[in-house]
Amino acid sequence: MEIKGNQCGLVTPSTSLSTKPASGMARRTVISLQTNWVFRQADSESEGFLPVAQFPTNVHLDLLQNKLIPDPFIGKNENLVQWVGEKTWIYKTTFFSPKLLTSEKAVLAFDGLDTYATVVLNHQQILKTDNMFIPERVNVTKLLNYDRDNVLEITFDPTYIIGKKIVEKYPNHHWGCWNGDPSRLAVRKAQYHYGWDWGPTLMTCGPWKPILLEVYTSRISDLCFTTDVDKSLESARVVTKADIEGEGDTVTFELTLDDQTVESQTVNISGGLATTTFDIQHPKLWYPAKYGQQPLYHLTATLQNKGTKEDIVSKRLGIRKAELIQRKLEDQPGTSFFFEVNNIPVFCGGSDWIPADNFLPRISPKRYRDWVKLVVDGNQVMIRVWAGGIFEAQAFYDACDEMGVLVWQDFLFGCGNYPAHPEFLESVKREATENVKLLRHHPCIVIYAGNNEDYQYQESEGLTYDPGNHDSKSWLKTDFPARYIYEKVLVDVTKELVPNTYYHFGSPYGGKNTTDPTVGDLHQWNVWHGTQEKYQNFDKLVGRFVSEFGMEAFPNMKTIDAYLPEGINDPDRYPQSSTVDFHNKADGHERRIALYLVENMQYKFEPFEQYVYCTQLMQAECIASAYRLWKRQWKGPGREYCAGVLVWQINDCWPVTSWAIVDYYLRPKHAYYTVKRELEPITIGLKRTMTAIPEDKYTGAYIKKVYEIEMWASNLTLENRTCDVQLKAWDVVTGEEMYSKILHNGFTLEANRSVEITKFEVPVHHKNADEELRTVVAAYLVESGKQVARYVNWPEPLKYTHLQKPKNLAIKVSHDATMVQISAEVPVKGVALYANDDSVAFEDNCVDIVPGETVFIGVKGLKKSEEGSLTVRYLGL
């Protein structure tokens, strides 16, 4: 039977198998043990076993299915289910095993058990686990019953309690972290399960990944490869390797593309290993989205022994040349930090990713694909898999491979001071080894990083770190022993298994310290956290690669209504209610949301819908400002002053007010659309400044105010583009057009960089009369008669601007219901459309309207008859 091996180290069947393979196919069979599962609380034998909700599963899902706990995502029910994580749970199933031939063996493969598990087969213990991320294999040939059912029982002890006891066992370690209980550092479980500043505390357990029974004589235990693309891109070398368990004579390696054989070789097995090299001329190269196609080759290995096919494993691969370039810059200190794919420097606009659910087994492949599609549709090219979650499901990376999303992969250590006692080191080394093997065939992964903010925690606590000390054993004796993990263990693992993929000690990590903006990557949290700077000043907060920054906003009102116990009739349906506050886990969120709202715009708490809109508009303005101002610093070869911007975060793990730009139910907030616009291939940017110039050095009364606007454009395409540059201005109160002029005919936008265009005073009729404070300015790029970029700049802060309520705000749906047209007689800030039906998807939203123009927004899933059901909001409504 052919086994579709889309994992490295473990292979999975294309379908669930329960019989011997047909003649001519590989002999190895795989039986998915996904039926007959039951569970119960260990100390409640009298209640008996209950059916599970699904498989794979976890205890919360099963308790929910059996109506034994309330939904922890609703109201404050999270508090009512904390007992679950402090109990012991038992899972059990029965299964029939086929009879084995004399030469065959049977192995139980556990892809993932969460977390402290004791496995018993037919009343005999076969396995104990203490790491959620390590797949395990147990030879059970002599333990199986072949004439009656086999009983498999797994007991899951409470990780929370065990973690507490481990902390007690090592009192000399400096236990400390940001987010969650410090005991999380002692156990290898998804750290976000302990709660984070955007997620609940839900201590899950259970068989969270598949359990398989494999029957075989010989098998391919690992199929891997390295690719080396020549600098010319005209040729590539693919070195393949198959590790063999059991007897075998030969392995046939076949490389195909679009079902056509590219190369095929049969080689002899020596010392349990088969290897060969394919030299490919004119390979079809894999590119990030927007830069080219994503062709995926298939590498298939067939194991043969004495003329019999024993096993077949297949993996996809993308041939590409990917490098992280760190070199000296022109005119600025430090070094670059940018990714080059197939010789193309890539500006990495994208997002940070957290697990898409607190209950991991219910994230379907389709849901992963929908998330990745949202990323691509939003013009994003990179996603960072954050350290406090999991090594994601293969479906996630498969989608990134297929759609061209670059992946920054963290190892799973976040925001704390991890221990490094021998048992812990052994566990994390196995964890890293097994998971890099599982992931290394994915072309989307271009960097691995050792941790998230652990070096920042070291700095904040004053823990020992001497960069000049290269004696790795001595690090274990300091109060920051986890340095040994990041700078020794993970270095060794990645060097051996993925030598062509860059390994970064942590995120952030770089120069003199973790806040050095001139070297490495930077987490820029001085907007929201830290010094709480104004987001209009993001240009002063730039780094070589900003891998985190963000701003909170409320989720969609439908999402809020879904978590309120009584929905739209709930008495807590208002912004400051205890239930709404409960669904925001960030410390000080009340003050910080209020700060950025009150600094920037007029807002009110009622109706709730308008308040939610204002928080989303504020987030949208903030996040777009960062992308716009930082992408400005992508200035071409030798001047890659900022090469990446990853917003914290793209997604949520439950319904919550957070930094996400798309909420738990995949409903985009308005920031999703402003980011999408800022990451268009061609954009134009404006920044307004005011300079006070006294008449002389003595006066404090006679001061001239000069209001100026800086203009630049970004061209992320790989060709020079020639555009006309147009500028317009309106009076925000009357709607009068005050200025309209083509500033440049045939202005050249050089390829793959940002370029300065001009600087000018805000166009007004009367200077020094503060008319600038009521003047809206719009800039356009027009190529061959078609508008390719537009940006509207407003006087800020917006709260001082006398925004008018339009009398003629027109919202029209086209006859075929694929387009919505918006126009108004006065400038309108942030016009947002809402549909009752979630199947209606807008291609853009939260747009600025100026007189004399119609903005067209693509829409899917809308009917012409539903035109009247659309709701509109804007600032000042």
Side-chain angles (χ1 to χ4, degrees):
M1 170 59 69
E2 179 177 353
I3 301 297
K4 300 296 185 182
N6 63 355
Q7 301 176 345
C8 197
L10 291 175
V11 288
T12 55
S14 55
T15 58
S16 298
L17 307 174
S18 58
T19 60
K20 287 291 182 182
S23 177
M25 304 298 285
R27 287 176 58 186
R28 184 168 77 95
T29 59
V30 178
I31 302 168
S32 180
L33 305 185
Q34 60 186 14
T35 59
N36 301 326
W37 283 96
V38 291
F39 82 108
R40 68 172 175 85
Q41 188 176 322
D43 59 4
S44 298
E45 288 189 39
S46 60
E47 295 184 10
F49 283 93
L50 296 169
V52 300
Q54 59 180 72
F55 199 87
T57 190
N58 71 30
V59 67
H60 290 80
L61 291 174
D62 298 329
L63 291 170
L64 274 170
Q65 175 71 17
N66 286 278
K67 296 181 170 50
L68 295 176
I69 60 170
D71 188 340
F73 286 11
I74 304 297
K76 302 174 187 175
N77 291 342
E78 174 196 348
N79 293 333
L80 303 179
V81 302
Q82 292 307 302
W83 63 273
V84 175
E86 297 187 13
K87 295 293 184 179
T88 298
W89 298 91
I90 299 174
Y91 280 79
K92 185 172 72 171
T93 189
T94 57
F95 64 94
F96 181 78
S97 172
K99 291 184 178 180
L100 274 59
L101 302 177
T102 303
S103 61
E104 290 181 323
K105 68 170 65 173
V107 170
L108 278 176
F110 303 87
D111 285 1
L113 300 175
D114 176 14
T115 293
Y116 285 88
T118 301
V119 184
V120 174
L121 176 64
N122 297 330
H123 308 293
Q124 185 163 336
Q125 181 178 311
I126 63 171
L127 177 66
K128 286 183 74 71
T129 71
D130 61 4
N131 189 315
M132 175 179 176
F133 310 115
I134 296 179
E136 301 282 2
R137 298 176 62 83
V138 183
N139 188 331
V140 295
T141 307
K142 297 181 179 180
L143 299 178
L144 288 174
N145 298 320
Y146 299 104
D147 55 355
R148 61 185 184 279
D149 279 347
N150 294 275
V151 180
L152 182 65
E153 186 171 281
I154 310 174
T155 300
F156 292 91
D157 291 314
T159 300
Y160 188 84
I161 303 300
I162 292 171
K164 290 283 193 179
K165 292 179 179 180
I166 295 174
V167 169
E168 289 182 343
K169 183 178 178 181
Y170 296 94
N172 294 328
H173 179 66
H174 181 102
W175 297 98
C177 64
W178 299 322
N179 295 296
D181 190 88
S183 64
R184 69 174 174 82
L185 306 170
V187 298
R188 297 311 297 147
K189 176 177 175 59
Q191 301 287 269
Y192 82 108
H193 286 167
Y194 282 78
W196 222 264
D197 54 8
W198 35 257
T201 301
L202 292 168
M203 294 296 291
T204 59
C205 72
W208 75 290
K209 285 189 173 184
I211 298 175
L212 309 170
L213 174 64
E214 299 183 21
V215 177
Y216 57 92
T217 299
S218 304
R219 74 176 184 118
I220 298 171
S221 60
D222 187 20
L223 173 64
C224 61
F225 52 84
T226 59
T227 59
D228 185 12
V229 180
D230 187 76
K231 184 70 174 177
S232 69
L233 307 182
E234 293 298 317
S235 63
R237 171 164 289 184
V238 180
V239 179
T240 67
K241 184 182 77 168
D243 291 332
I244 308 303
E245 178 190 336
E247 295 184 357
D249 299 325
T250 63
V251 172
T252 298
F253 294 97
E254 183 181 27
L255 191 66
T256 62
L257 179 66
D258 298 329
D259 296 325
Q260 300 297 313
T261 299
V262 177
E263 296 277 355
S264 180
Q265 293 184 24
T266 299
V267 297
N268 293 326
I269 299 168
S270 177
L273 176 67
T275 184
T276 193
T277 299
F278 296 133
D279 288 309
I280 303 171
Q281 300 301 312
H282 310 295
K284 300 293 185 183
L285 298 179
W286 184 95
Y287 285 87
K290 313 295 183 186
Y291 291 89
Q293 299 300 310
Q294 294 80 43
L296 293 171
Y297 290 77
H298 281 77
L299 175 65
T300 302
T302 303
L303 169 64
Q304 299 181 75
N305 187 40
K306 297 181 176 59
T308 300
K309 291 181 181 179
E310 297 287 352
D311 197 7
I312 302 173
V313 174
S314 181
K315 291 188 177 183
R316 297 193 306 185
L317 66 107
I319 298 177
R320 53 53 170 168
K321 185 179 184 68
E323 299 176 274
L324 176 66
I325 308 299
Q326 298 183 84
R327 64 189 179 203
K328 290 185 178 180
L329 294 162
E330 298 176 12
D331 304 325
Q332 287 194 18
T335 54
S336 65
F337 193 98
F338 70 90
F339 293 89
E340 192 173 81
V341 181
N342 300 332
N343 300 337
I344 300 171
V346 176
F347 181 83
C348 290
S351 300
D352 293 289
W353 168 271
I354 67 171
D357 204 310
N358 270 88
F359 303 143
L360 294 164
R362 70 179 176 190
I363 310 174
S364 67
K366 180 183 182 302
R367 193 166 182 86
Y368 275 120
R369 191 171 186 84
D370 289 344
W371 273 114
V372 175
K373 188 174 187 303
L374 265 175
V375 169
V376 174
D377 289 347
N379 293 319
Q380 299 182 35
V381 75
M382 177 174 269
I383 196 162
R384 172 175 166 250
V385 179
W386 169 74
I390 61 171
F391 298 104
E392 279 297 345
Q394 292 292 330
F396 171 84
Y397 302 100
D398 287 343
C400 291
D401 288 343
E402 294 165 13
M403 298 188 215
V405 177
L406 300 177
V407 172
W408 172 313
Q409 178 67 52
D410 282 355
F411 286 98
L412 307 184
F413 306 90
C415 298
N417 185 34
Y418 285 83
H421 47 271
E423 299 89 348
F424 192 83
L425 290 178
E426 180 183 356
S427 182
V428 299
K429 182 178 181 179
R430 277 195 67 204
E431 170 191 319
T433 299
E434 292 299 325
N435 284 281
V436 171
K437 285 182 177 181
L438 286 167
L439 298 181
R440 61 181 167 177
H441 65 287
H442 290 287
C444 61
I445 300 176
V446 294
I447 184 173
Y448 290 89
N451 64 80
N452 173 80
E453 296 182 357
D454 289 1
Y455 286 100
Q456 282 194 326
Y457 185 83
Q458 169 266 316
E459 290 172 356
S460 73
E461 294 294 305
L463 304 179
T464 304
Y465 184 72
D466 177 7
N469 176 10
H470 301 294
D471 178 8
S472 59
K473 291 293 184 181
S474 71
W475 306 338
L476 294 170
K477 301 175 184 178
T478 71
D479 55 4
F480 182 50
R483 178 184 182 184
Y484 188 86
I485 298 173
Y486 314 139
E487 300 184 29
K488 174 60 177 170
V489 174
L490 299 179
V491 168
D492 291 346
V493 169
T494 54
K495 185 177 181 180
E496 177 187 353
L497 299 178
V498 282
N500 295 335
T501 304
Y502 184 79
Y503 171 72
H504 195 45
F505 286 167
S507 180
Y509 189 89
K512 297 176 182 179
N513 52 48
T514 59
T515 58
D516 186 343
T518 68
V519 179
D521 70 315
L522 178 72
H523 290 189
Q524 184 48 270
W525 282 108
N526 280 320
V527 171
W528 182 269
H529 289 300
T531 55
Q532 298 182 348
E533 302 289 333
K534 296 179 184 297
Y535 61 70
Q536 290 84 353
N537 297 331
F538 263 133
D539 52 346
K540 299 175 183 177
L541 305 173
V542 68
R544 296 291 173 247
F545 194 109
V546 184
S547 48
E548 278 192 24
F549 76 102
M551 174 59 65
E552 278 205 353
F554 276 60
N556 190 290
M557 273 307 307
K558 295 177 187 176
T559 299
I560 296 171
D561 289 339
Y563 74 64
L564 290 171
E566 298 179 36
I568 61 173
N569 298 314
D570 198 286
D572 264 9
R573 195 180 187 267
Y574 62 94
Q576 296 168 298
S577 74
S578 63
T579 305
V580 170
D581 268 358
F582 188 83
H583 283 254
N584 188 335
K585 299 298 187 179
D587 287 342
H589 64 85
E590 302 95 337
R591 297 189 301 276
R592 294 175 189 186
I593 290 178
L595 169 67
Y596 284 99
L597 279 175
V598 78
E599 278 188 345
N600 286 286
M601 60 189 65
Q602 299 179 44
Y603 69 97
K604 51 190 175 182
F605 289 114
E606 293 181 355
F608 195 1
E609 289 80 357
Q610 185 67 11
Y611 175 80
V612 168
Y613 161 83
C614 286
T615 70
Q616 289 198 13
L617 176 64
M618 181 263 293
Q619 182 196 42
E621 291 288 293
C622 171
I623 301 304
S625 176
Y627 278 93
R628 185 182 317 116
L629 293 169
W630 290 339
K631 189 175 64 168
R632 184 183 184 182
Q633 299 303 311
W634 177 250
K635 291 182 176 290
R639 303 173 72 216
E640 302 93 348
Y641 304 135
C642 180
V645 181
L646 307 180
V647 66
W648 184 268
Q649 63 223 59
I650 182 68
N651 64 323
D652 278 326
C653 63
W654 77 313
V656 64
T657 296
S658 77
W659 297 273
I661 63 173
V662 182
D663 73 28
Y664 172 74
Y665 295 106
L666 288 92
R667 295 170 176 143
K669 300 180 188 177
H670 297 322
Y672 172 82
Y673 298 104
T674 58
V675 169
K676 179 180 180 178
R677 292 198 290 270
E678 294 300 336
L679 290 177
E680 289 283 354
I682 297 178
T683 58
I684 190 165
L686 302 173
K687 178 177 172 64
R688 190 179 299 220
T689 63
M690 189 279 286
T691 305
I693 305 174
E695 283 191 2
D696 56 54
K697 64 181 180 180
Y698 302 107
T699 185
Y702 300 96
I703 298 175
K704 177 183 178 183
K705 295 180 180 179
V706 178
Y707 296 88
E708 294 180 302
I709 292 181
E710 302 165 3
M711 178 189 289
W712 67 94
S714 299
N715 173 15
L716 297 184
T717 74
L718 304 181
E719 298 178 350
N720 289 353
R721 307 288 286 268
T722 301
C723 297
D724 297 336
V725 182
Q726 186 176 6
L727 186 73
K728 292 185 178 182
W730 296 265
D731 186 305
V732 73
V733 175
T734 66
E736 174 193 357
E737 184 177 291
M738 302 172 63
Y739 186 90
S740 179
K741 185 177 180 180
I742 296 177
L743 302 184
H744 294 279
N745 282 303
F747 188 88
T748 299
L749 307 181
E750 293 184 78
N752 202 12
R753 71 195 67 186
S754 297
V755 60
E756 301 297 313
I757 297 178
T758 189
K759 183 177 181 179
F760 55 91
E761 292 189 24
V762 176
V764 293
H765 292 319
H766 306 97
K767 295 184 179 181
N768 296 315
D770 285 340
E771 288 185 6
E772 295 87 351
L773 300 181
R774 54 187 285 169
T775 301
V776 176
V777 178
Y780 310 83
L781 294 176
V782 178
E783 183 180 43
S784 301
K786 180 182 178 182
Q787 179 181 297
V788 294
R790 171 186 186 263
Y791 176 64
V792 181
N793 175 273
W794 299 72
E796 291 190 281
L798 289 165
K799 64 180 181 179
Y800 293 157
T801 305
H802 295 162
L803 298 169
Q804 303 297 298
K805 291 185 178 181
K807 298 178 180 178
N808 299 303
L809 179 60
I811 310 293
K812 297 181 180 179
V813 176
S814 62
H815 291 296
D816 59 2
T818 62
M819 197 74 65
V820 179
Q821 306 170 26
I822 310 174
S823 62
E825 84 286 1
V826 292
V828 187
K829 179 65 186 174
V831 175
L833 300 174
Y834 301 85
N836 294 329
D837 190 341
D838 272 346
S839 65
V840 176
F842 298 103
E843 294 179 3
D844 199 359
N845 217 329
C846 198
V847 294
D848 294 341
I849 305 299
V850 291
E853 293 182 16
T854 299
V855 171
F856 297 85
I857 295 178
V859 62
K860 296 178 180 178
L862 185 67
K863 299 177 182 178
K864 176 65 176 176
S865 60
E866 297 172 332
E867 181 175 25
S869 68
L870 293 179
T871 303
V872 62
R873 295 200 172 276
Y874 54 85
L875 188 60
L877 179 65

